[in-house]
Amino acid sequence: MRPFAIGTLSEQTGVKIPTIRFYESIGLLPAPERTQTNRRTYDESTVRRLRFIRNARELGFEVEAIRSLLDLADNPGKPREEVDAAARDHLADIDDRIARLTRLRSEVQVLADPRPSGQAGGERLLQALSDHDLSHHETC
């Protein structure tokens, strides 16, 4: 397949052009090839990488966690111990996110259930979201 422009990359991945440029500037995406007129060009490998980044961000992964995962993918020859440790760290993060989302789902379900008579919706919302600590104590 022929190289394509940044607009096509944006269309194929659903990622806005300024975001693509940002990911390039912080090294999540490699510097693109340039035409003689200095226009960026991309290929299918960039599409796959950018879709991975977009999906990871939608799942709540921070940039540094994504960088770490991409590093593992880019360096298949890394020592097995490093790969295993990184995988365990990411698995623990995923498990933590699932637990927090499960707690949040339970609280929202309480709000969606019919209210007992006499209890205002606002009061119930305040009670439901203040009774449980849904926060993550580390930086997400």
Side-chain angles (χ1 to χ4, degrees), residues 2-58:
R2 290 184 23 205
F4 45 86
I6 195 167
T8 303
L9 178 63
S10 176
E11 289 170 8
Q12 289 185 9
T13 61
V15 177
K16 294 180 181 182
I17 291 172
T19 304
I20 294 170
R21 290 182 179 141
F22 171 71
Y23 290 155
E24 290 171 0
S25 74
I26 63 171
L28 287 183
L29 288 175
E33 296 289 323
R34 299 276 184 159
T35 66
Q36 289 180 349
T37 59
N38 205 31
R39 294 186 65 146
R40 293 170 164 89
T41 62
Y42 302 90
D43 59 20
E44 284 302 314
S45 66
T46 308
V47 171
R48 284 189 305 275
R49 188 176 186 98
L50 187 53
R51 283 181 180 153
F52 172 85
I53 294 167
R54 184 200 66 213
N55 290 335
R57 292 293 293 153
E58 286 176 359

Side-chain angles (χ1 to χ4, degrees), residues 4-136:
F4 45 86
I6 195 167
T8 303
L9 178 63
S10 176
E11 289 170 8
Q12 289 185 9
T13 61
V15 177
K16 294 180 181 182
I17 291 172
T19 304
I20 294 170
R21 290 182 179 141
F22 171 71
Y23 290 155
E24 290 171 0
S25 74
I26 63 171
L28 287 183
L29 288 175
E33 296 289 323
R34 299 276 184 159
T35 66
Q36 289 180 349
T37 59
N38 205 31
R39 294 186 65 146
R40 293 170 164 89
T41 62
Y42 302 90
D43 59 20
E44 284 302 314
S45 66
T46 308
V47 171
R48 284 189 305 275
R49 188 176 186 98
L50 187 53
R51 283 181 180 153
F52 172 85
I53 294 167
R54 184 200 66 213
N55 290 335
R57 292 293 293 153
E58 286 176 359
L59 290 171
F61 283 96
E62 296 295 323
V63 168
E64 287 310 310
I66 295 170
R67 186 183 313 281
S68 174
L69 289 169
L70 289 169
D71 183 54
L72 290 174
D74 292 342
N75 297 294
K78 274 195 159 192
R80 182 67 195 181
E81 298 79 26
E82 285 184 49
V83 173
D84 289 349
R88 280 192 301 274
D89 288 347
H90 291 298
L91 183 59
D93 189 40
I94 290 167
D95 288 343
D96 181 62
R97 289 174 192 277
I98 290 170
R100 289 180 19 233
L101 284 170
T102 300
R103 288 192 303 272
L104 178 59
R105 185 188 188 292
S106 295
E107 296 304 328
V108 172
Q109 182 65 48
V110 167
L111 297 174
D113 288 342
R115 290 187 294 278
S117 61
Q119 187 175 18
E123 291 173 19
R124 186 165 175 162
L125 173 64
L126 183 60
Q127 179 183 355
L129 293 178
S130 63
D131 282 351
H132 299 285
D133 182 8
L134 300 176
S135 66
H136 183 26

